[in-house]
Amino acid sequence: MRVLGLATVSTVAVSLCLVGCGSPDEPAPLDGTDVITTPSPSAPPTADPPTDPEIDRARQILGGAQISPDGRYSVTGDGDRVVIRTASGTEFDWFGTGSDWQVGAEFSPDGQRLAVGVQDAVVLYDFATKDPHAVMYPIGGDHLTKPRFSGDGAHLVVEEFDKARNGRFVVFDVRTERPVTSPYPPYIEVSSDPGKIWYASELAVFDGGAKVVAAGEDGFLLWSTRSQTFDWVPCGCRGELAAVDRAGRHVAFGARDGSISMWTVSGPTEVKRWKPPGSGEGAGPPTLTFTEDGRHLLSKAGKDGYVWSVPEGKLVGSWRDAGA
């Protein structure tokens, strides 16, 4: 165990709510005349999830678990402690943070590190040495949230939590610990609640740390870390929840009417919009997550979950939680 000492830094515990690689043919982009489709599964959702390790892990993450890519470890917050357990449930290690304000955690793709966002820093935990090391953010400010490693684990992106306006984004070089901080993003009006501050649902850093996607309500931001410029891409889908794959190739939105909108980041273009079975007015937005390899998107509303191919949005599997 370790009790992390960060001088004047007030640290925080891990959150349970976080939330690539084939290249199939791209479907034709929407041209404004397309009808939102409702796929019909060959059978209703069952109690058994699709039997694929990538999909199974994504399904557990969608349910609130935080599991390493190899399935060997899981992490939870326990008051002001971050607790790491093995797959069998045995406690592997823990470290204290000094606060129970929960913000987010992320395993590196190779499973060798755990990143936890805290105030003015990101804690990188090394599984080989059991060492929680604080990578300091020299600009200071509020808590750093939603940590996400790049596909090669060389970079880490976080969002700066700001109570007064859209927060900035920070990309850390994991080896040198050098941060690159964005300008403040442009003001984004949230259609569901004008005046509400826009926050990202999920982040991705790619192209050697040169580009960042921040996906959230109503659209996504593209930040170039080299030119320090932003591009805002509105989805036009009334999306409330969003997910982006680790490679930064695709973004998906869950809309208020229960529909899903799939976008390519390069372009950018909406490639399909559809409704899962049983969706309708008042259904609410489905929660979404991509598999680690980016080949599938999982959606869940209530107890029913579905697995979709990326980017075609074809239904390839479904499940129903116990007790449905």
Side-chain angles (χ1 to χ4, degrees), residues 189-194 217-218 238-239 256:
E189 183 173 294
V190 178
S191 62
S192 66
D193 186 5
E217 188 166 350
D218 290 336
R238 300 180 67 82
R256 294 162 217 168

Side-chain angles (χ1 to χ4, degrees), residues 10-11 26 47-48 62 70 87 93 104 116-118 121 190 239 246 264 309 319 321-322:
S10 172
T11 56
E26 295 284 343
D48 298 322
L62 199 62
D70 58 11
D93 198 11
V116 179
V118 300
V190 178
R246 190 181 296 280
T264 57
S309 65
W319 77 94
D321 286 349

Side-chain angles (χ1 to χ4, degrees), residues 30-39 235-238 253 255-262 270-277 279-281 308:
L30 297 182
D31 61 6
T33 64
D34 303 77
V35 177
I36 298 177
T37 60
T38 301
C235 71
C237 63
R238 300 180 67 82
F253 296 94
R256 294 162 217 168
D257 63 358
S259 65
I260 298 171
S261 174
M262 179 76 72
E270 183 180 40
V271 293
K272 188 171 184 180
R273 195 184 301 184
W274 73 95
K275 285 187 177 181
S279 298
E281 291 299 326
W308 313 92

